[in-house]
Amino acid sequence: RMPSCLLKLTRVVLSHKPWALIILIFLFVSFAYIKLYWGIWEDPRSRGPPYGLSAEISCAHYVPSPLNIAGGPSPSAGNVFFVETSEQTTPSYLFSCSVESAARTHPESRVLVLMKGMAKGNTSLPKHWAFSLLGCFPNVEIRPLDLTELFSGTPLRRWYLWPLRHWEPHFLAVLSDACRIVLMWKFGGIYLDTDFIVLKNLQNLTNALGIQGDDVLNGAFLSFKPKHEFMELCMQDFVQNYNGWVWGHQGPELLTRVFKKWCSLRTIKSMNCKGVSALAPEAVYPIPWQDWKKLFEAVSALELHKLLKNTYAVHIWNKLSQGTKLEIPSQALLAQLYSQFCPATYAKMKQD
């Protein structure tokens, strides 16, 4: 239905007939565009297929050797954050693999999965195999994402509370961009998108982000100390140079803008500047987004070893790769990554 505010506006506009038709057409077209691209008319692929009928997982079967964490995660080890800003509560295989691989490579850290779709105060998780499987890892915690609380005390609070914000075409992506820089500023630790497969412990990469190529930094991986000045500048830029209608303006473009100012650079290169590291692409983006199809191509064990020699994590570029059929088992690069770094999720994939 058309919002009541538009109905009221229609009555007002009709009393000024010369411009009434033009204004009404503009309003209706704008409203339809926003509904289409914001995702109210949801792409069926984004709902995720019904992976497996059983929500119960036998930890002894899928995770025969659980992580050995004496006394729980170390307080000195930073948290690893994943964020789901949509209402989605049916994680995909890739989502499960991302969290599992982070849990396995960071046994002394808490791996926090923050999900907007979980009702605040509800102590029970939705019945889904991924939540059951991830519950086998003692350092994984799945919590509701309270956005009002997260943005409180930051420059982004007023931005988030503006009533028309949710009508913007890329709002969910921008909201994710906002969450990660606020999490890093408030709490520090490591942030990862839910389409990463983690190969090595990332804790020694401090105050760092990765170059995705083409003179652009990407925020799919971030690692910062709390209250770091660089993240504070990112929050300020987010508000001062805000444009929610251009894809990436609040994400990779923002981080690139701030880093260039931080270092007084014209071109991004792998370097450490004033305590912040721009990591070479092979560190966390070894497969460029333009070459995402290589993830589904067969590679030998030797090729895999060479490819991942200097790599900490592999970004899967889910926005591009989702929907592409992956043979399980196979020698495809992505299948081998699943097999080695998230074996419990891989076992579930083979079963399904």
Side-chain angles (χ1 to χ4, degrees), residues 129-149:
W129 68 264
F131 295 124
S132 183
L133 186 150
L134 295 174
C136 298
F137 297 92
N139 59 334
V140 172
E141 298 179 26
I142 300 171
R143 298 181 181 180
L145 174 61
D146 185 339
L147 291 166
T148 304
E149 174 63 25

Short mmCIF file of all heavy atoms in Angstrom, two decimals, residues 129-149:
data_model
loop_
_atom_site.label_atom_id
_atom_site.label_comp_id
_atom_site.label_asym_id
_atom_site.label_seq_id
_atom_site.Cartn_x
_atom_site.Cartn_y
_atom_site.Cartn_z
N TRP A 129 19.77 -25.95 10.74
CA TRP A 129 20.95 -26.79 10.91
C TRP A 129 22.22 -26.00 11.18
O TRP A 129 23.11 -26.44 11.93
CB TRP A 129 21.14 -27.68 9.68
CG TRP A 129 21.52 -26.93 8.43
CD1 TRP A 129 20.69 -26.51 7.45
CD2 TRP A 129 22.83 -26.49 8.06
NE1 TRP A 129 21.39 -25.83 6.48
CE2 TRP A 129 22.71 -25.81 6.82
CE3 TRP A 129 24.10 -26.61 8.62
CZ2 TRP A 129 23.80 -25.25 6.16
CZ3 TRP A 129 25.19 -26.05 7.97
CH2 TRP A 129 25.04 -25.38 6.75
N ALA A 130 22.35 -24.80 10.56
CA ALA A 130 23.58 -24.02 10.71
C ALA A 130 23.78 -23.57 12.15
O ALA A 130 24.91 -23.60 12.67
CB ALA A 130 23.59 -22.83 9.77
N PHE A 131 22.70 -23.15 12.81
CA PHE A 131 22.83 -22.73 14.21
C PHE A 131 23.21 -23.92 15.09
O PHE A 131 24.00 -23.79 16.02
CB PHE A 131 21.53 -22.10 14.70
CG PHE A 131 21.17 -20.82 14.00
CD1 PHE A 131 19.95 -20.69 13.35
CD2 PHE A 131 22.05 -19.75 13.97
CE1 PHE A 131 19.62 -19.51 12.70
CE2 PHE A 131 21.73 -18.58 13.32
CZ PHE A 131 20.51 -18.46 12.68
N SER A 132 22.63 -25.07 14.79
CA SER A 132 22.95 -26.27 15.55
C SER A 132 24.41 -26.67 15.34
O SER A 132 25.13 -26.99 16.29
CB SER A 132 22.02 -27.41 15.11
OG SER A 132 22.24 -28.57 15.88
N LEU A 133 24.87 -26.60 14.10
CA LEU A 133 26.26 -26.96 13.80
C LEU A 133 27.23 -25.99 14.44
O LEU A 133 28.22 -26.39 15.07
CB LEU A 133 26.47 -27.00 12.28
CG LEU A 133 27.83 -27.50 11.78
CD1 LEU A 133 27.67 -28.19 10.42
CD2 LEU A 133 28.84 -26.37 11.65
N LEU A 134 26.96 -24.69 14.32
CA LEU A 134 27.88 -23.69 14.89
C LEU A 134 27.88 -23.74 16.40
O LEU A 134 28.85 -23.33 17.05
CB LEU A 134 27.51 -22.29 14.38
CG LEU A 134 27.70 -22.09 12.88
CD1 LEU A 134 27.16 -20.72 12.44
CD2 LEU A 134 29.17 -22.23 12.48
N GLY A 135 26.79 -24.27 16.99
CA GLY A 135 26.75 -24.45 18.44
C GLY A 135 27.73 -25.49 18.94
O GLY A 135 28.00 -25.58 20.14
N CYS A 136 28.29 -26.28 18.03
CA CYS A 136 29.30 -27.26 18.41
C CYS A 136 30.63 -26.60 18.76
O CYS A 136 31.51 -27.26 19.34
CB CYS A 136 29.52 -28.26 17.27
SG CYS A 136 28.06 -29.24 16.83
N PHE A 137 30.79 -25.34 18.39
CA PHE A 137 32.05 -24.62 18.64
C PHE A 137 31.86 -23.73 19.85
O PHE A 137 31.08 -22.77 19.82
CB PHE A 137 32.44 -23.81 17.41
CG PHE A 137 32.72 -24.66 16.20
CD1 PHE A 137 31.71 -24.95 15.30
CD2 PHE A 137 33.98 -25.21 15.99
CE1 PHE A 137 31.95 -25.75 14.20
CE2 PHE A 137 34.23 -26.01 14.90
CZ PHE A 137 33.21 -26.29 14.00
N PRO A 138 32.59 -24.01 20.95
CA PRO A 138 32.35 -23.29 22.21
C PRO A 138 32.68 -21.81 22.15
O PRO A 138 32.25 -21.05 23.03
CB PRO A 138 33.25 -24.03 23.20
CG PRO A 138 34.29 -24.71 22.37
CD PRO A 138 33.62 -25.06 21.08
N ASN A 139 33.45 -21.37 21.16
CA ASN A 139 33.81 -19.94 21.09
C ASN A 139 32.89 -19.15 20.17
O ASN A 139 33.11 -17.95 19.96
CB ASN A 139 35.26 -19.76 20.67
CG ASN A 139 35.58 -20.39 19.32
OD1 ASN A 139 34.92 -21.33 18.88
ND2 ASN A 139 36.60 -19.89 18.64
N VAL A 140 31.85 -19.77 19.61
CA VAL A 140 30.90 -19.07 18.74
C VAL A 140 29.69 -18.63 19.55
O VAL A 140 29.09 -19.43 20.27
CB VAL A 140 30.45 -19.97 17.56
CG1 VAL A 140 29.32 -19.30 16.78
CG2 VAL A 140 31.62 -20.26 16.64
N GLU A 141 29.35 -17.36 19.44
CA GLU A 141 28.15 -16.82 20.09
C GLU A 141 27.30 -16.12 19.04
O GLU A 141 27.80 -15.29 18.28
CB GLU A 141 28.53 -15.82 21.19
CG GLU A 141 29.34 -16.42 22.32
CD GLU A 141 29.72 -15.38 23.37
OE1 GLU A 141 28.97 -14.37 23.50
OE2 GLU A 141 30.75 -15.56 24.05
N ILE A 142 26.01 -16.45 19.00
CA ILE A 142 25.08 -15.83 18.06
C ILE A 142 24.12 -14.96 18.86
O ILE A 142 23.44 -15.43 19.77
CB ILE A 142 24.33 -16.91 17.26
CG1 ILE A 142 25.33 -17.76 16.48
CG2 ILE A 142 23.32 -16.27 16.30
CD1 ILE A 142 24.75 -18.98 15.81
N ARG A 143 24.11 -13.66 18.53
CA ARG A 143 23.36 -12.68 19.33
C ARG A 143 22.50 -11.79 18.44
O ARG A 143 22.80 -11.62 17.25
CB ARG A 143 24.33 -11.79 20.11
CG ARG A 143 25.20 -12.50 21.11
CD ARG A 143 26.07 -11.46 21.81
NE ARG A 143 26.98 -12.03 22.79
CZ ARG A 143 27.82 -11.33 23.52
NH1 ARG A 143 27.87 -10.00 23.35
NH2 ARG A 143 28.61 -11.91 24.39
N PRO A 144 21.45 -11.19 19.03
CA PRO A 144 20.67 -10.19 18.27
C PRO A 144 21.52 -8.95 17.98
O PRO A 144 22.41 -8.60 18.76
CB PRO A 144 19.51 -9.85 19.22
CG PRO A 144 19.50 -10.92 20.24
CD PRO A 144 20.90 -11.43 20.37
N LEU A 145 21.26 -8.32 16.86
CA LEU A 145 21.93 -7.07 16.49
C LEU A 145 21.00 -5.91 16.84
O LEU A 145 19.99 -5.69 16.17
CB LEU A 145 22.26 -7.06 15.00
CG LEU A 145 22.84 -5.77 14.42
CD1 LEU A 145 24.17 -5.42 15.09
CD2 LEU A 145 23.03 -5.90 12.90
N ASP A 146 21.34 -5.20 17.91
CA ASP A 146 20.56 -4.04 18.36
C ASP A 146 21.20 -2.79 17.74
O ASP A 146 22.18 -2.26 18.25
CB ASP A 146 20.57 -3.96 19.88
CG ASP A 146 19.68 -2.85 20.43
OD1 ASP A 146 19.38 -1.91 19.67
OD2 ASP A 146 19.30 -2.92 21.61
N LEU A 147 20.62 -2.33 16.64
CA LEU A 147 21.23 -1.23 15.90
C LEU A 147 21.16 0.10 16.64
O LEU A 147 22.10 0.89 16.60
CB LEU A 147 20.57 -1.12 14.52
CG LEU A 147 20.89 -2.28 13.58
CD1 LEU A 147 19.94 -2.29 12.39
CD2 LEU A 147 22.33 -2.21 13.10
N THR A 148 20.06 0.35 17.31
CA THR A 148 19.94 1.60 18.07
C THR A 148 21.02 1.69 19.13
O THR A 148 21.67 2.73 19.32
CB THR A 148 18.55 1.72 18.71
OG1 THR A 148 17.55 1.61 17.70
CG2 THR A 148 18.38 3.05 19.43
N GLU A 149 21.24 0.59 19.84
CA GLU A 149 22.28 0.55 20.86
C GLU A 149 23.67 0.65 20.24
O GLU A 149 24.54 1.36 20.75
CB GLU A 149 22.16 -0.74 21.67
CG GLU A 149 23.27 -0.96 22.69
CD GLU A 149 23.31 0.10 23.78
OE1 GLU A 149 22.26 0.72 24.05
OE2 GLU A 149 24.40 0.32 24.34
#
